[in-house]
């Protein structure tokens, strides 16, 4: 075993997986890769996620700089969520996860 094999994982890697590894977060990012969406649209794309959890995760992603919220002053007010430049750079990683899942996941 190499001395580096037992070194602690990089703190940046830990931060990324702590954020992106939370339930539903990756699916939210994936849903937003095709452009901004209203929360109702995201709820339709991700079965079984609750509105409360969706908004909690969107807030976390917004706080991390991955998602931005745009408020349109209309009647009624319209709110859309989209990926920032930082969020859009996750697309290659999401594509690789999809390839991995296509290869190894057998649906029940």
């Amino acid at each position: 075993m190499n001395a580096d094999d037992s070194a602690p994982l990089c703190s940046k890697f830990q931060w990324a997986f702590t954020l992106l590894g939370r339930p539903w977060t990756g699916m939210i990012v994936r849903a937003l890769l095709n452009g901004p969406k209203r929360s109702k649209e995201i709820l339709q794309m991700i079965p079984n996620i609750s509105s409360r959890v969706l908004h909690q995760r969107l807030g976390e992603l917004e706080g991390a700089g991955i998602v931005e919220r745009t408020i349109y002053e209309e009647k009624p007010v319209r709110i859309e969520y989209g990926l920032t430049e930082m969020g859009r750079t996750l697309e290659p990683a999401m594509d690789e996860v999809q390839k991995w899942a296509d290869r190894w996941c057998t649906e029940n």
Side-chain angles (χ1 to χ4, degrees):
M1 186 170 185
N2 185 322
D4 291 334
D5 290 343
S6 61
L9 291 175
C10 170
S11 61
K12 293 177 182 180
F13 184 84
Q14 290 179 26
W15 172 83
F17 259 84
T18 299
L19 177 65
L20 297 173
R22 295 195 53 137
W24 308 109
T25 301
M27 288 177 268
I28 294 167
V29 170
R30 187 71 169 172
L32 293 174
L33 282 171
N34 290 326
K37 304 218 176 1
R38 297 174 76 171
S39 58
K40 181 174 111 174
E41 295 171 295
I42 300 169
L43 287 167
Q44 291 171 345
M45 294 177 75
I46 305 172
N48 303 319
I49 188 173
S50 70
S51 179
R52 181 184 67 79
V53 171
L54 173 62
H55 286 93
Q56 183 179 24
R57 294 297 180 270
L58 286 168
E60 293 165 359
L61 290 167
E62 187 176 4
I66 294 171
V67 166
E68 61 189 350
R69 177 176 40 159
T70 304
I71 301 171
Y72 297 94
E73 298 295 334
E74 303 171 345
K75 293 197 182 202
V77 172
R78 180 170 50 108
I79 300 172
E80 286 186 344
Y81 298 91
L83 295 175
T84 62
E85 179 183 353
M86 178 185 180
R88 287 187 299 275
T89 63
L90 287 166
E91 187 167 14
M94 293 295 165
D95 289 346
E96 289 302 314
V97 170
Q98 182 66 58
K99 288 177 192 174
W100 180 87
D102 289 343
R103 179 173 180 189
W104 296 105
C105 180
T106 57
E107 295 185 34
N108 296 338

